[in-house]
Amino acid sequence: KLVLNISYDATQKLELAAEHVDFSARFAGAPRHVHVPMDAVLAIYAYETGQGMIFEPKDATEPDGSSPRKPNASKSSKPGSARKPSLKVVK
């Protein structure tokens, strides 16, 4: 899941449509165009007031239309065999 905190002032050509959210913005100084299908949006709300709406998540499917793979489905079920998740700071 990815949270985008976007504001009208931080974006160019912000478009909130029934089918998608579309805008241009700079990430680390590089201009990028962002297109998010509305099926992938879980919530939209105003930071200033906290008012907004939450959408029911759709059943997730892979881009090719297949069902998503379950994590560790093909790995052994021995305790300790799976690595712990970790995060790394990228600058």
Side-chain angles (χ1 to χ4, degrees):
K1 293 182 184 177
L2 177 65
V3 175
L4 293 175
N5 183 3
I6 59 174
S7 70
Y8 188 77
D9 293 336
T11 63
Q12 295 179 349
K13 302 176 186 174
L14 177 61
E15 179 183 348
L16 299 171
E19 303 84 26
H20 62 268
V21 176
D22 205 49
F23 63 92
S24 295
R26 291 185 174 272
F27 295 90
R32 301 280 186 222
H33 177 261
V34 179
H35 177 87
V36 181
M38 197 53 80
D39 288 346
V41 176
L42 296 179
I44 295 177
Y45 68 94
Y47 178 78
E48 298 82 6
T49 64
Q51 294 181 334
M53 60 184 83
I54 297 174
F55 305 108
E56 287 291 322
K58 304 277 184 180
D59 289 334
T61 57
E62 294 294 313
D64 64 0
S66 64
S67 296
R69 288 177 270 151
K70 292 183 181 179
N72 300 328
S74 63
K75 293 183 180 179
S76 103
S77 59
K78 293 181 197 174
S81 65
R83 296 187 317 185
K84 291 183 180 181
S86 64
L87 296 175
K88 179 172 79 171
V89 176
V90 178
K91 292 186 180 185

